[in-house]
Short mmCIF file of all heavy atoms in Angstrom, two decimals:
data_model
loop_
_atom_site.label_atom_id
_atom_site.label_comp_id
_atom_site.label_asym_id
_atom_site.label_seq_id
_atom_site.Cartn_x
_atom_site.Cartn_y
_atom_site.Cartn_z
N MET A 494 -27.45 17.64 -26.31
CA MET A 494 -27.05 17.45 -27.72
C MET A 494 -26.24 16.15 -27.85
O MET A 494 -25.41 15.84 -27.01
CB MET A 494 -26.20 18.64 -28.20
CG MET A 494 -26.07 18.69 -29.72
SD MET A 494 -24.70 19.75 -30.24
CE MET A 494 -25.32 21.36 -29.79
N ASN A 495 -26.50 15.41 -28.85
CA ASN A 495 -25.76 14.18 -29.10
C ASN A 495 -24.41 14.50 -29.73
O ASN A 495 -24.33 15.06 -30.81
CB ASN A 495 -26.59 13.29 -30.04
CG ASN A 495 -25.97 11.91 -30.18
OD1 ASN A 495 -24.76 11.76 -30.02
ND2 ASN A 495 -26.80 10.93 -30.46
N ASN A 496 -23.34 14.15 -29.03
CA ASN A 496 -22.00 14.49 -29.50
C ASN A 496 -21.59 13.74 -30.76
O ASN A 496 -20.64 14.12 -31.42
CB ASN A 496 -20.98 14.20 -28.40
CG ASN A 496 -21.10 15.20 -27.27
OD1 ASN A 496 -21.53 16.34 -27.48
ND2 ASN A 496 -20.74 14.80 -26.07
N ARG A 497 -22.28 12.69 -31.05
CA ARG A 497 -21.88 11.89 -32.21
C ARG A 497 -22.41 12.45 -33.52
O ARG A 497 -22.01 12.04 -34.59
CB ARG A 497 -22.34 10.44 -32.03
CG ARG A 497 -21.64 9.77 -30.85
CD ARG A 497 -22.05 8.33 -30.72
NE ARG A 497 -21.59 7.54 -31.85
CZ ARG A 497 -21.94 6.27 -32.05
NH1 ARG A 497 -22.75 5.67 -31.20
NH2 ARG A 497 -21.47 5.60 -33.07
N ILE A 498 -23.33 13.39 -33.40
CA ILE A 498 -23.87 14.01 -34.61
C ILE A 498 -23.16 15.33 -34.86
O ILE A 498 -23.08 16.17 -33.98
CB ILE A 498 -25.39 14.24 -34.48
CG1 ILE A 498 -26.11 12.89 -34.42
CG2 ILE A 498 -25.91 15.05 -35.66
CD1 ILE A 498 -27.58 13.01 -34.13
N TYR A 499 -22.64 15.51 -36.04
CA TYR A 499 -21.96 16.74 -36.41
C TYR A 499 -23.04 17.80 -36.68
O TYR A 499 -23.84 17.62 -37.58
CB TYR A 499 -21.14 16.48 -37.67
CG TYR A 499 -20.12 17.55 -37.98
CD1 TYR A 499 -19.10 17.84 -37.10
CD2 TYR A 499 -20.18 18.24 -39.18
CE1 TYR A 499 -18.17 18.81 -37.38
CE2 TYR A 499 -19.24 19.21 -39.48
CZ TYR A 499 -18.25 19.50 -38.58
OH TYR A 499 -17.33 20.46 -38.87
N PRO A 500 -23.07 18.85 -35.86
CA PRO A 500 -24.15 19.82 -36.01
C PRO A 500 -24.19 20.45 -37.41
O PRO A 500 -23.15 20.80 -37.96
CB PRO A 500 -23.82 20.88 -34.96
CG PRO A 500 -22.88 20.23 -34.02
CD PRO A 500 -22.13 19.22 -34.82
N GLU A 501 -25.39 20.57 -37.91
CA GLU A 501 -25.56 21.10 -39.26
C GLU A 501 -24.98 22.50 -39.40
O GLU A 501 -24.44 22.86 -40.45
CB GLU A 501 -27.05 21.11 -39.62
CG GLU A 501 -27.29 21.33 -41.10
CD GLU A 501 -28.77 21.49 -41.42
OE1 GLU A 501 -29.58 21.00 -40.63
OE2 GLU A 501 -29.05 22.08 -42.46
N VAL A 502 -25.07 23.29 -38.33
CA VAL A 502 -24.59 24.67 -38.39
C VAL A 502 -23.08 24.72 -38.65
O VAL A 502 -22.60 25.59 -39.36
CB VAL A 502 -24.99 25.45 -37.11
CG1 VAL A 502 -24.23 24.93 -35.89
CG2 VAL A 502 -24.78 26.93 -37.29
N PHE A 503 -22.36 23.75 -38.13
CA PHE A 503 -20.91 23.71 -38.39
C PHE A 503 -20.62 23.33 -39.83
O PHE A 503 -19.70 23.85 -40.45
CB PHE A 503 -20.22 22.71 -37.45
CG PHE A 503 -20.15 23.21 -36.04
CD1 PHE A 503 -20.91 22.62 -35.05
CD2 PHE A 503 -19.34 24.29 -35.71
CE1 PHE A 503 -20.85 23.08 -33.74
CE2 PHE A 503 -19.27 24.76 -34.41
CZ PHE A 503 -20.04 24.15 -33.43
N PHE A 504 -21.44 22.43 -40.33
CA PHE A 504 -21.29 22.03 -41.73
C PHE A 504 -21.54 23.21 -42.65
O PHE A 504 -20.79 23.45 -43.60
CB PHE A 504 -22.28 20.89 -42.05
CG PHE A 504 -22.23 20.45 -43.47
CD1 PHE A 504 -21.17 19.68 -43.94
CD2 PHE A 504 -23.23 20.80 -44.35
CE1 PHE A 504 -21.12 19.29 -45.26
CE2 PHE A 504 -23.19 20.40 -45.68
CZ PHE A 504 -22.12 19.64 -46.13
N THR A 505 -22.60 23.97 -42.35
CA THR A 505 -22.94 25.15 -43.15
C THR A 505 -21.81 26.16 -43.11
O THR A 505 -21.44 26.74 -44.13
CB THR A 505 -24.23 25.81 -42.62
OG1 THR A 505 -25.26 24.82 -42.61
CG2 THR A 505 -24.66 26.98 -43.48
N ARG A 506 -21.22 26.34 -41.93
CA ARG A 506 -20.13 27.29 -41.79
C ARG A 506 -18.93 26.89 -42.64
O ARG A 506 -18.34 27.71 -43.34
CB ARG A 506 -19.73 27.39 -40.32
CG ARG A 506 -18.61 28.39 -40.07
CD ARG A 506 -18.19 28.43 -38.63
NE ARG A 506 -17.66 27.15 -38.20
CZ ARG A 506 -17.18 26.91 -37.00
NH1 ARG A 506 -17.20 27.84 -36.09
NH2 ARG A 506 -16.71 25.73 -36.68
N GLU A 507 -18.58 25.62 -42.58
CA GLU A 507 -17.45 25.13 -43.38
C GLU A 507 -17.73 25.29 -44.87
O GLU A 507 -16.86 25.68 -45.64
CB GLU A 507 -17.18 23.65 -43.07
CG GLU A 507 -16.64 23.40 -41.67
CD GLU A 507 -15.41 24.24 -41.38
OE1 GLU A 507 -14.50 24.27 -42.22
OE2 GLU A 507 -15.36 24.88 -40.31
N LEU A 508 -18.95 24.98 -45.25
CA LEU A 508 -19.34 25.09 -46.65
C LEU A 508 -19.27 26.54 -47.13
O LEU A 508 -18.77 26.83 -48.22
CB LEU A 508 -20.78 24.56 -46.82
CG LEU A 508 -21.23 24.28 -48.25
CD1 LEU A 508 -20.45 23.11 -48.83
CD2 LEU A 508 -22.71 23.99 -48.30
N ASN A 509 -19.74 27.47 -46.28
CA ASN A 509 -19.71 28.89 -46.63
C ASN A 509 -18.28 29.41 -46.74
O ASN A 509 -17.96 30.18 -47.63
CB ASN A 509 -20.49 29.71 -45.59
CG ASN A 509 -21.98 29.55 -45.77
OD1 ASN A 509 -22.46 29.10 -46.80
ND2 ASN A 509 -22.73 29.92 -44.75
N SER A 510 -17.42 28.97 -45.84
CA SER A 510 -16.01 29.37 -45.89
C SER A 510 -15.36 28.86 -47.17
O SER A 510 -14.58 29.54 -47.83
CB SER A 510 -15.26 28.83 -44.68
OG SER A 510 -15.73 29.43 -43.50
N PHE A 511 -15.73 27.64 -47.52
CA PHE A 511 -15.21 27.02 -48.74
C PHE A 511 -15.68 27.79 -49.98
O PHE A 511 -14.91 28.03 -50.91
CB PHE A 511 -15.68 25.57 -48.79
CG PHE A 511 -15.11 24.77 -49.92
CD1 PHE A 511 -13.75 24.55 -49.99
CD2 PHE A 511 -15.93 24.24 -50.89
CE1 PHE A 511 -13.21 23.81 -51.04
CE2 PHE A 511 -15.40 23.49 -51.94
CZ PHE A 511 -14.04 23.28 -52.01
N LYS A 512 -16.93 28.21 -49.94
CA LYS A 512 -17.54 28.96 -51.05
C LYS A 512 -16.78 30.26 -51.29
O LYS A 512 -16.49 30.62 -52.44
CB LYS A 512 -19.00 29.25 -50.69
CG LYS A 512 -19.89 29.56 -51.85
CD LYS A 512 -21.36 29.45 -51.46
CE LYS A 512 -21.78 30.54 -50.49
NZ LYS A 512 -23.21 30.46 -50.13
N VAL A 513 -16.41 30.96 -50.22
CA VAL A 513 -15.67 32.21 -50.32
C VAL A 513 -14.31 31.96 -50.98
O VAL A 513 -13.86 32.73 -51.82
CB VAL A 513 -15.48 32.85 -48.93
CG1 VAL A 513 -14.52 34.03 -48.99
CG2 VAL A 513 -16.82 33.32 -48.39
N LYS A 514 -13.68 30.84 -50.61
CA LYS A 514 -12.37 30.51 -51.18
C LYS A 514 -12.48 30.21 -52.68
O LYS A 514 -11.69 30.69 -53.48
CB LYS A 514 -11.79 29.28 -50.48
CG LYS A 514 -11.31 29.55 -49.08
CD LYS A 514 -9.90 30.09 -49.06
CE LYS A 514 -9.50 30.57 -47.67
NZ LYS A 514 -10.20 31.82 -47.27
N ILE A 515 -13.47 29.40 -53.02
CA ILE A 515 -13.65 29.00 -54.41
C ILE A 515 -13.94 30.20 -55.30
O ILE A 515 -13.42 30.33 -56.41
CB ILE A 515 -14.82 27.97 -54.53
CG1 ILE A 515 -14.42 26.65 -53.87
CG2 ILE A 515 -15.23 27.74 -55.98
CD1 ILE A 515 -13.27 25.94 -54.56
N LEU A 516 -14.80 31.09 -54.81
CA LEU A 516 -15.20 32.27 -55.59
C LEU A 516 -14.16 33.38 -55.52
O LEU A 516 -14.27 34.39 -56.21
CB LEU A 516 -16.55 32.79 -55.10
CG LEU A 516 -17.74 31.84 -55.30
CD1 LEU A 516 -18.98 32.38 -54.61
CD2 LEU A 516 -18.02 31.62 -56.78
N GLU A 517 -13.13 33.18 -54.65
CA GLU A 517 -12.08 34.18 -54.46
C GLU A 517 -12.66 35.54 -54.12
O GLU A 517 -12.35 36.54 -54.77
CB GLU A 517 -11.18 34.27 -55.69
CG GLU A 517 -10.34 33.01 -55.89
CD GLU A 517 -9.39 33.15 -57.06
OE1 GLU A 517 -8.55 34.06 -57.00
OE2 GLU A 517 -9.51 32.39 -58.02
N LEU A 518 -13.52 35.56 -53.11
CA LEU A 518 -14.14 36.81 -52.70
C LEU A 518 -13.24 37.58 -51.74
O LEU A 518 -12.47 36.99 -50.99
CB LEU A 518 -15.50 36.53 -52.05
CG LEU A 518 -16.52 35.93 -53.02
CD1 LEU A 518 -17.78 35.52 -52.28
CD2 LEU A 518 -16.85 36.89 -54.14
N HIS A 519 -13.35 38.89 -51.80
CA HIS A 519 -12.48 39.77 -51.03
C HIS A 519 -13.25 40.56 -49.99
O HIS A 519 -14.42 40.87 -50.18
CB HIS A 519 -11.80 40.79 -51.97
CG HIS A 519 -10.97 40.16 -53.04
ND1 HIS A 519 -9.60 40.22 -53.04
CD2 HIS A 519 -11.31 39.46 -54.14
CE1 HIS A 519 -9.13 39.58 -54.10
NE2 HIS A 519 -10.15 39.10 -54.78
N CYS A 520 -12.55 40.92 -48.94
CA CYS A 520 -13.09 41.83 -47.93
C CYS A 520 -13.28 43.21 -48.57
O CYS A 520 -12.37 43.71 -49.21
CB CYS A 520 -12.10 41.91 -46.77
SG CYS A 520 -12.44 43.24 -45.62
N PRO A 521 -14.46 43.83 -48.39
CA PRO A 521 -14.69 45.15 -49.01
C PRO A 521 -13.88 46.27 -48.36
O PRO A 521 -13.78 47.35 -48.92
CB PRO A 521 -16.20 45.37 -48.81
CG PRO A 521 -16.59 44.48 -47.70
CD PRO A 521 -15.63 43.32 -47.70
N LYS A 522 -13.29 46.00 -47.21
CA LYS A 522 -12.54 47.03 -46.50
C LYS A 522 -11.04 47.00 -46.83
O LYS A 522 -10.46 48.00 -47.21
CB LYS A 522 -12.75 46.86 -44.99
CG LYS A 522 -12.36 48.05 -44.16
CD LYS A 522 -12.76 47.81 -42.72
CE LYS A 522 -12.22 48.90 -41.80
NZ LYS A 522 -12.43 48.54 -40.39
N CYS A 523 -10.42 45.80 -46.69
CA CYS A 523 -8.97 45.71 -46.91
C CYS A 523 -8.61 44.84 -48.11
O CYS A 523 -7.44 44.65 -48.41
CB CYS A 523 -8.29 45.18 -45.64
SG CYS A 523 -8.60 43.44 -45.32
N PHE A 524 -9.63 44.28 -48.76
CA PHE A 524 -9.47 43.46 -49.97
C PHE A 524 -8.78 42.13 -49.74
O PHE A 524 -8.36 41.46 -50.69
CB PHE A 524 -8.73 44.23 -51.08
CG PHE A 524 -9.39 45.53 -51.46
CD1 PHE A 524 -8.64 46.65 -51.77
CD2 PHE A 524 -10.77 45.64 -51.51
CE1 PHE A 524 -9.24 47.86 -52.12
CE2 PHE A 524 -11.40 46.83 -51.86
CZ PHE A 524 -10.62 47.95 -52.17
N SER A 525 -8.64 41.72 -48.49
CA SER A 525 -8.06 40.41 -48.20
C SER A 525 -9.01 39.29 -48.61
O SER A 525 -10.23 39.47 -48.62
CB SER A 525 -7.77 40.31 -46.70
OG SER A 525 -7.48 38.98 -46.35
N THR A 526 -8.45 38.16 -48.99
CA THR A 526 -9.30 36.99 -49.29
C THR A 526 -9.30 36.02 -48.12
O THR A 526 -9.84 34.93 -48.22
CB THR A 526 -8.78 36.25 -50.55
OG1 THR A 526 -7.41 35.97 -50.37
CG2 THR A 526 -8.99 37.07 -51.80
N ASP A 527 -8.69 36.44 -47.03
CA ASP A 527 -8.63 35.59 -45.84
C ASP A 527 -9.90 35.78 -45.01
O ASP A 527 -9.92 36.45 -43.99
CB ASP A 527 -7.39 35.96 -45.02
CG ASP A 527 -6.82 34.76 -44.30
OD1 ASP A 527 -7.43 33.68 -44.39
OD2 ASP A 527 -5.78 34.90 -43.64
N ILE A 528 -10.98 35.18 -45.50
CA ILE A 528 -12.30 35.39 -44.91
C ILE A 528 -12.90 34.06 -44.50
O ILE A 528 -12.78 33.08 -45.23
CB ILE A 528 -13.22 36.08 -45.93
CG1 ILE A 528 -12.72 37.51 -46.22
CG2 ILE A 528 -14.67 36.13 -45.43
CD1 ILE A 528 -13.37 38.13 -47.43
N TYR A 529 -13.52 34.04 -43.35
CA TYR A 529 -14.22 32.83 -42.94
C TYR A 529 -15.65 33.15 -42.55
O TYR A 529 -15.96 34.28 -42.18
CB TYR A 529 -13.49 32.12 -41.79
CG TYR A 529 -13.43 32.91 -40.51
CD1 TYR A 529 -14.39 32.72 -39.52
CD2 TYR A 529 -12.42 33.83 -40.29
CE1 TYR A 529 -14.34 33.44 -38.34
CE2 TYR A 529 -12.36 34.56 -39.11
CZ TYR A 529 -13.32 34.36 -38.14
OH TYR A 529 -13.27 35.08 -36.98
N ALA A 530 -16.52 32.16 -42.65
CA ALA A 530 -17.92 32.35 -42.28
C ALA A 530 -18.10 31.98 -40.82
O ALA A 530 -17.51 31.02 -40.35
CB ALA A 530 -18.80 31.47 -43.15
N ASP A 531 -18.90 32.79 -40.11
CA ASP A 531 -19.19 32.40 -38.73
C ASP A 531 -20.54 31.68 -38.68
O ASP A 531 -21.15 31.41 -39.70
CB ASP A 531 -19.10 33.59 -37.77
CG ASP A 531 -20.32 34.50 -37.84
OD1 ASP A 531 -21.24 34.20 -38.62
OD2 ASP A 531 -20.35 35.49 -37.11
N LEU A 532 -20.99 31.38 -37.48
CA LEU A 532 -22.18 30.55 -37.35
C LEU A 532 -23.48 31.27 -37.71
O LEU A 532 -24.50 30.65 -37.92
CB LEU A 532 -22.29 30.03 -35.91
CG LEU A 532 -21.15 29.09 -35.49
CD1 LEU A 532 -21.31 28.68 -34.05
CD2 LEU A 532 -21.12 27.86 -36.38
N LYS A 533 -23.43 32.58 -37.79
CA LYS A 533 -24.67 33.32 -38.09
C LYS A 533 -24.70 33.79 -39.54
O LYS A 533 -25.37 34.76 -39.87
CB LYS A 533 -24.81 34.52 -37.16
CG LYS A 533 -24.96 34.11 -35.71
CD LYS A 533 -25.33 35.33 -34.86
CE LYS A 533 -25.34 35.01 -33.38
NZ LYS A 533 -23.99 34.92 -32.79
N ASP A 534 -23.95 33.12 -40.40
CA ASP A 534 -23.93 33.46 -41.81
C ASP A 534 -23.35 34.85 -42.06
O ASP A 534 -23.75 35.56 -42.97
CB ASP A 534 -25.33 33.35 -42.40
CG ASP A 534 -25.27 32.84 -43.84
OD1 ASP A 534 -24.20 32.38 -44.27
OD2 ASP A 534 -26.30 32.91 -44.54
N ILE A 535 -22.44 35.25 -41.18
CA ILE A 535 -21.72 36.51 -41.33
C ILE A 535 -20.29 36.15 -41.73
O ILE A 535 -19.73 35.18 -41.23
CB ILE A 535 -21.70 37.31 -40.00
CG1 ILE A 535 -23.12 37.72 -39.60
CG2 ILE A 535 -20.80 38.53 -40.10
CD1 ILE A 535 -23.77 38.77 -40.46
N TYR A 536 -19.72 36.94 -42.62
CA TYR A 536 -18.38 36.65 -43.13
C TYR A 536 -17.37 37.58 -42.49
O TYR A 536 -17.49 38.80 -42.58
CB TYR A 536 -18.39 36.77 -44.66
CG TYR A 536 -19.28 35.70 -45.25
CD1 TYR A 536 -20.65 35.87 -45.30
CD2 TYR A 536 -18.73 34.50 -45.66
CE1 TYR A 536 -21.47 34.86 -45.79
CE2 TYR A 536 -19.54 33.48 -46.15
CZ TYR A 536 -20.91 33.67 -46.21
OH TYR A 536 -21.72 32.68 -46.66
N VAL A 537 -16.39 36.99 -41.82
CA VAL A 537 -15.43 37.76 -41.04
C VAL A 537 -14.06 37.73 -41.71
O VAL A 537 -13.55 36.68 -42.08
CB VAL A 537 -15.31 37.18 -39.61
CG1 VAL A 537 -14.41 38.06 -38.76
CG2 VAL A 537 -16.69 37.05 -38.96
N CYS A 538 -13.47 38.91 -41.86
CA CYS A 538 -12.14 39.03 -42.43
C CYS A 538 -11.09 38.80 -41.35
O CYS A 538 -11.16 39.40 -40.28
CB CYS A 538 -11.99 40.43 -43.03
SG CYS A 538 -10.32 40.76 -43.61
N LYS A 539 -10.13 37.93 -41.61
CA LYS A 539 -9.09 37.65 -40.62
C LYS A 539 -8.09 38.79 -40.52
O LYS A 539 -7.41 38.94 -39.53
CB LYS A 539 -8.34 36.36 -40.99
CG LYS A 539 -9.11 35.11 -40.64
CD LYS A 539 -8.28 33.88 -40.94
CE LYS A 539 -9.12 32.63 -40.84
NZ LYS A 539 -8.42 31.45 -41.39
N GLU A 540 -7.98 39.58 -41.56
CA GLU A 540 -7.01 40.68 -41.58
C GLU A 540 -7.49 41.85 -40.74
O GLU A 540 -6.76 42.35 -39.89
CB GLU A 540 -6.78 41.15 -43.02
CG GLU A 540 -6.04 40.16 -43.90
CD GLU A 540 -4.58 39.98 -43.48
OE1 GLU A 540 -3.97 40.96 -43.04
OE2 GLU A 540 -4.08 38.84 -43.59
N CYS A 541 -8.70 42.32 -41.00
CA CYS A 541 -9.17 43.56 -40.35
C CYS A 541 -10.39 43.33 -39.47
O CYS A 541 -10.94 44.29 -38.93
CB CYS A 541 -9.46 44.63 -41.40
SG CYS A 541 -10.90 44.28 -42.42
N SER A 542 -10.82 42.08 -39.34
CA SER A 542 -11.96 41.73 -38.48
C SER A 542 -13.28 42.35 -38.92
O SER A 542 -14.23 42.40 -38.15
CB SER A 542 -11.70 42.10 -37.02
OG SER A 542 -10.51 41.51 -36.58
N ASP A 543 -13.34 42.83 -40.15
CA ASP A 543 -14.57 43.40 -40.68
C ASP A 543 -15.59 42.28 -40.88
O ASP A 543 -15.24 41.20 -41.32
CB ASP A 543 -14.26 44.10 -42.02
CG ASP A 543 -15.25 45.20 -42.31
OD1 ASP A 543 -15.75 45.82 -41.36
OD2 ASP A 543 -15.53 45.44 -43.50
N LYS A 544 -16.86 42.58 -40.57
CA LYS A 544 -17.91 41.59 -40.74
C LYS A 544 -18.87 42.02 -41.84
O LYS A 544 -19.31 43.17 -41.87
CB LYS A 544 -18.68 41.41 -39.43
CG LYS A 544 -17.83 40.76 -38.36
CD LYS A 544 -18.57 40.66 -37.05
CE LYS A 544 -17.64 40.06 -36.00
NZ LYS A 544 -18.23 40.08 -34.67
N ASN A 545 -19.19 41.09 -42.72
CA ASN A 545 -20.03 41.43 -43.87
C ASN A 545 -21.02 40.33 -44.20
O ASN A 545 -20.80 39.17 -43.87
CB ASN A 545 -19.15 41.65 -45.11
CG ASN A 545 -18.24 42.85 -44.94
OD1 ASN A 545 -18.66 43.98 -45.08
ND2 ASN A 545 -16.98 42.58 -44.64
N ASP A 546 -22.09 40.71 -44.90
CA ASP A 546 -22.98 39.72 -45.49
C ASP A 546 -22.31 39.19 -46.75
O ASP A 546 -21.43 39.84 -47.31
CB ASP A 546 -24.32 40.36 -45.88
CG ASP A 546 -25.16 40.71 -44.66
OD1 ASP A 546 -24.94 40.10 -43.60
OD2 ASP A 546 -26.02 41.60 -44.79
N PHE A 547 -22.77 38.04 -47.18
CA PHE A 547 -22.18 37.45 -48.37
C PHE A 547 -22.25 38.39 -49.57
O PHE A 547 -21.31 38.51 -50.34
CB PHE A 547 -22.88 36.12 -48.69
CG PHE A 547 -22.27 35.37 -49.82
CD1 PHE A 547 -21.07 34.71 -49.64
CD2 PHE A 547 -22.88 35.34 -51.07
CE1 PHE A 547 -20.47 34.02 -50.68
CE2 PHE A 547 -22.28 34.65 -52.12
CZ PHE A 547 -21.09 33.99 -51.91
N LYS A 548 -23.39 39.08 -49.70
CA LYS A 548 -23.61 39.96 -50.85
C LYS A 548 -22.66 41.17 -50.86
O LYS A 548 -22.49 41.82 -51.88
CB LYS A 548 -25.07 40.43 -50.91
CG LYS A 548 -25.50 41.24 -49.71
CD LYS A 548 -26.92 41.77 -49.93
CE LYS A 548 -27.52 42.40 -48.69
NZ LYS A 548 -26.68 43.30 -47.92
N ASP A 549 -22.06 41.48 -49.70
CA ASP A 549 -21.16 42.63 -49.62
C ASP A 549 -19.71 42.29 -49.96
O ASP A 549 -18.89 43.19 -50.12
CB ASP A 549 -21.21 43.23 -48.21
CG ASP A 549 -22.59 43.82 -47.92
OD1 ASP A 549 -23.20 44.36 -48.86
OD2 ASP A 549 -23.04 43.71 -46.78
N LEU A 550 -19.41 41.00 -50.04
CA LEU A 550 -18.05 40.61 -50.40
C LEU A 550 -17.80 40.93 -51.87
O LEU A 550 -18.72 40.91 -52.69
CB LEU A 550 -17.86 39.11 -50.14
CG LEU A 550 -18.07 38.66 -48.69
CD1 LEU A 550 -17.95 37.15 -48.60
CD2 LEU A 550 -17.08 39.34 -47.77
N LEU A 551 -16.55 41.23 -52.19
CA LEU A 551 -16.23 41.68 -53.54
C LEU A 551 -15.54 40.59 -54.37
O LEU A 551 -14.72 39.84 -53.84
CB LEU A 551 -15.30 42.90 -53.47
CG LEU A 551 -15.83 44.12 -52.70
CD1 LEU A 551 -14.74 45.19 -52.67
CD2 LEU A 551 -17.09 44.67 -53.33
N THR A 552 -15.88 40.54 -55.64
CA THR A 552 -15.16 39.66 -56.54
C THR A 552 -13.85 40.35 -56.92
O THR A 552 -13.67 41.54 -56.69
CB THR A 552 -15.96 39.41 -57.83
OG1 THR A 552 -16.13 40.64 -58.50
CG2 THR A 552 -17.32 38.79 -57.53
N THR A 553 -12.94 39.59 -57.51
CA THR A 553 -11.66 40.16 -57.93
C THR A 553 -11.87 41.34 -58.87
O THR A 553 -11.19 42.36 -58.80
CB THR A 553 -10.81 39.07 -58.62
OG1 THR A 553 -10.64 38.01 -57.69
CG2 THR A 553 -9.45 39.61 -59.03
N GLU A 554 -12.87 41.21 -59.74
CA GLU A 554 -13.18 42.28 -60.69
C GLU A 554 -13.67 43.54 -59.98
O GLU A 554 -13.28 44.66 -60.33
CB GLU A 554 -14.24 41.79 -61.67
CG GLU A 554 -14.31 42.60 -62.94
CD GLU A 554 -15.17 41.90 -63.97
OE1 GLU A 554 -16.37 41.75 -63.72
OE2 GLU A 554 -14.64 41.49 -65.01
N GLN A 555 -14.52 43.35 -58.99
CA GLN A 555 -15.04 44.50 -58.23
C GLN A 555 -13.93 45.19 -57.45
O GLN A 555 -13.93 46.42 -57.31
CB GLN A 555 -16.14 44.04 -57.27
CG GLN A 555 -17.44 43.72 -57.96
CD GLN A 555 -18.45 43.09 -57.02
OE1 GLN A 555 -18.13 42.17 -56.27
NE2 GLN A 555 -19.67 43.57 -57.05
N VAL A 556 -12.97 44.41 -56.95
CA VAL A 556 -11.83 44.98 -56.23
C VAL A 556 -11.02 45.85 -57.18
O VAL A 556 -10.63 46.97 -56.87
CB VAL A 556 -10.94 43.87 -55.62
CG1 VAL A 556 -9.61 44.44 -55.14
CG2 VAL A 556 -11.66 43.21 -54.46
N ARG A 557 -10.81 45.33 -58.38
CA ARG A 557 -10.05 46.07 -59.39
C ARG A 557 -10.73 47.40 -59.71
O ARG A 557 -10.11 48.46 -59.74
CB ARG A 557 -9.91 45.21 -60.65
CG ARG A 557 -8.82 45.68 -61.58
CD ARG A 557 -8.94 44.96 -62.91
NE ARG A 557 -10.25 45.18 -63.51
CZ ARG A 557 -10.81 44.39 -64.42
NH1 ARG A 557 -10.19 43.33 -64.84
NH2 ARG A 557 -12.00 44.67 -64.91
N ASP A 558 -12.05 47.33 -59.94
CA ASP A 558 -12.82 48.54 -60.25
C ASP A 558 -12.73 49.56 -59.12
O ASP A 558 -12.60 50.75 -59.35
CB ASP A 558 -14.29 48.19 -60.48
CG ASP A 558 -14.49 47.46 -61.80
OD1 ASP A 558 -13.52 47.42 -62.60
OD2 ASP A 558 -15.58 46.93 -62.02
N ARG A 559 -12.80 49.05 -57.90
CA ARG A 559 -12.76 49.94 -56.75
C ARG A 559 -11.39 50.61 -56.61
O ARG A 559 -11.29 51.78 -56.27
CB ARG A 559 -13.10 49.15 -55.48
CG ARG A 559 -13.46 50.04 -54.32
CD ARG A 559 -14.12 49.29 -53.23
NE ARG A 559 -15.49 48.92 -53.55
CZ ARG A 559 -16.43 48.70 -52.62
NH1 ARG A 559 -16.13 48.79 -51.35
NH2 ARG A 559 -17.65 48.37 -52.96
N LYS A 560 -10.33 49.84 -56.90
CA LYS A 560 -8.98 50.42 -56.82
C LYS A 560 -8.78 51.49 -57.88
O LYS A 560 -8.18 52.53 -57.62
CB LYS A 560 -7.94 49.31 -56.98
CG LYS A 560 -7.75 48.48 -55.72
CD LYS A 560 -6.71 47.41 -55.91
CE LYS A 560 -6.49 46.64 -54.61
NZ LYS A 560 -5.63 45.46 -54.82
N ILE A 561 -9.30 51.22 -59.06
CA ILE A 561 -9.20 52.21 -60.15
C ILE A 561 -9.94 53.48 -59.76
O ILE A 561 -9.44 54.59 -59.93
CB ILE A 561 -9.77 51.61 -61.47
CG1 ILE A 561 -8.84 50.50 -61.97
CG2 ILE A 561 -9.94 52.70 -62.53
CD1 ILE A 561 -9.39 49.72 -63.14
N LYS A 562 -11.12 53.28 -59.19
CA LYS A 562 -11.93 54.41 -58.74
C LYS A 562 -11.18 55.24 -57.70
O LYS A 562 -11.20 56.46 -57.73
CB LYS A 562 -13.23 53.86 -58.12
CG LYS A 562 -14.47 54.62 -58.47
CD LYS A 562 -15.64 53.78 -58.00
CE LYS A 562 -16.90 54.57 -57.79
NZ LYS A 562 -17.95 53.70 -57.21
N ASN A 563 -10.51 54.55 -56.78
CA ASN A 563 -9.76 55.23 -55.72
C ASN A 563 -8.61 56.04 -56.30
O ASN A 563 -8.31 57.14 -55.84
CB ASN A 563 -9.19 54.21 -54.72
CG ASN A 563 -10.28 53.67 -53.79
OD1 ASN A 563 -11.38 54.22 -53.73
ND2 ASN A 563 -9.97 52.60 -53.11
N ILE A 564 -7.96 55.50 -57.33
CA ILE A 564 -6.85 56.20 -57.97
C ILE A 564 -7.36 57.45 -58.67
O ILE A 564 -6.76 58.52 -58.59
CB ILE A 564 -6.13 55.26 -58.98
CG1 ILE A 564 -5.40 54.15 -58.22
CG2 ILE A 564 -5.16 56.04 -59.86
CD1 ILE A 564 -4.91 53.02 -59.09
N LEU A 565 -8.51 57.31 -59.31
CA LEU A 565 -9.05 58.42 -60.08
C LEU A 565 -9.73 59.49 -59.23
O LEU A 565 -9.90 60.61 -59.68
CB LEU A 565 -10.06 57.88 -61.12
CG LEU A 565 -9.49 56.97 -62.21
CD1 LEU A 565 -10.57 56.47 -63.11
CD2 LEU A 565 -8.40 57.67 -63.00
N SER A 566 -10.10 59.13 -58.03
CA SER A 566 -10.84 60.09 -57.21
C SER A 566 -9.91 61.01 -56.40
O SER A 566 -8.76 60.70 -56.20
CB SER A 566 -11.80 59.38 -56.28
OG SER A 566 -11.08 58.62 -55.34
ZN1 ZN B 3 -10.55 42.99 -44.27
#
């Protein structure tokens, strides 16, 4: 591998991590927003180490709904 070329996979990972921050997505398990993307397009929570697909991450609104549901259940 040529060391002078920044591998595309690293760029994708950084971009995906940035996307999670911008969209303020939450971990579906502990609701933390401290999430980073790994090299296989899996999103890892730094708080609880939970791994999720992008589609499984929650928006702030979904977190709110889930908390309300938990209170009511
Ligand atoms: Zn978590």
